[in-house]
Amino acid sequence: MTTKILPLLLLALLMLAGCHRKLNYRDGQYRSAREMVRLKKAGRYANSRPTDKTKTVRTTPSGARTKVVTKRPMRVGSATGTLASVIEAARSYQGTPYLYGGTTRLGLDCSGLLQLSFGQAGVNIPRSSNEQAVWGTPVKTTELQPGDLVFFGAAPGSRTITHVGLVTVVDEEGVDFIHASTSLGVVENSLESDYYLSRFIRAVRPQL
């Protein structure tokens, strides 16, 4: 009985080893599970935009290695006049926590951020995101300019506006917008990220 089972066990082990090696092959050679994860991450982000922070490792005179995190410089937009003032005002609120209905530096919601920013530039705009969505001229995403307002739904494919942001930069790197995120507070993000593109509803250009 043992002599019959032993060859079957050996065959099963060889098959498992073959599958394992096939799953962990990349570029014609075997890779460890850790290497496969690293390669997949590298491929996933190879064509993405630069992150807001870069990490470098420096060696001190004593031989110790220290990690230094450097924040990527804020991208400069091409807005001028009133819209430049609006964007500058909005950026001054970066880091302010999210607060539903908030309209001060203690806490802001998305439409409150825009109302305050435009107000500081001497422009009165509606309070809610739904009212702001019809305050201006509709514009295509391919024609976005700094100062345009972008509107989003709560879930992918939704047509109900629940969020608004202000375009700050449009250049060869892409489109950035500033908004009051419920999780991070006032922050700038890329419009091209899958999260925001899947929830994007419309954009309007303010009539100043």
Side-chain angles (χ1 to χ4, degrees), residues 53-208:
K53 297 178 181 179
T54 57
K55 297 179 181 179
T56 56
V57 177
R58 295 178 183 172
T59 304
T60 64
S62 63
R65 291 163 64 87
T66 59
K67 186 181 292 184
V68 179
V69 179
T70 306
K71 190 169 183 180
R72 184 166 62 96
M74 186 179 293
R75 294 164 64 213
V76 179
S78 58
T80 58
T82 300
L83 289 177
S85 299
V86 173
I87 292 171
E88 183 180 358
R91 282 177 159 174
S92 75
Y93 287 98
Q94 282 191 319
T96 301
Y98 179 88
L99 177 64
Y100 180 75
T103 56
T104 71
R105 292 189 182 275
L106 296 177
L108 289 167
D109 62 15
C110 58
S111 55
L113 170 65
L114 266 61
Q115 187 183 50
L116 276 180
S117 301
F118 275 93
Q120 285 182 223
V123 180
N124 294 319
I125 71 170
R127 174 64 178 90
S128 74
S129 56
N130 280 290
E131 292 173 316
Q132 292 171 0
V134 294
W135 181 74
T137 305
V139 60
K140 298 178 182 178
T141 53
T142 53
E143 299 172 353
L144 284 171
Q145 296 176 5
D148 289 344
L149 310 185
V150 284
F151 298 87
F152 308 88
S158 171
R159 304 310 299 170
T160 301
I161 291 171
T162 59
H163 193 62
V164 59
L166 171 72
V167 175
T168 54
V169 182
V170 180
D171 60 18
E172 65 279 356
E173 287 188 42
V175 178
D176 280 3
F177 69 102
I178 191 167
H179 61 128
S181 161
T182 55
S183 57
L184 299 174
V186 179
V187 65
E188 279 189 64
N189 287 116
S190 168
L191 183 63
E192 285 92 347
S193 70
D194 290 340
Y195 182 89
Y196 291 109
L197 278 182
S198 66
R199 291 163 172 76
F200 177 80
I201 295 177
R202 67 179 307 191
V204 301
R205 181 157 300 152
Q207 296 284 359
L208 302 181

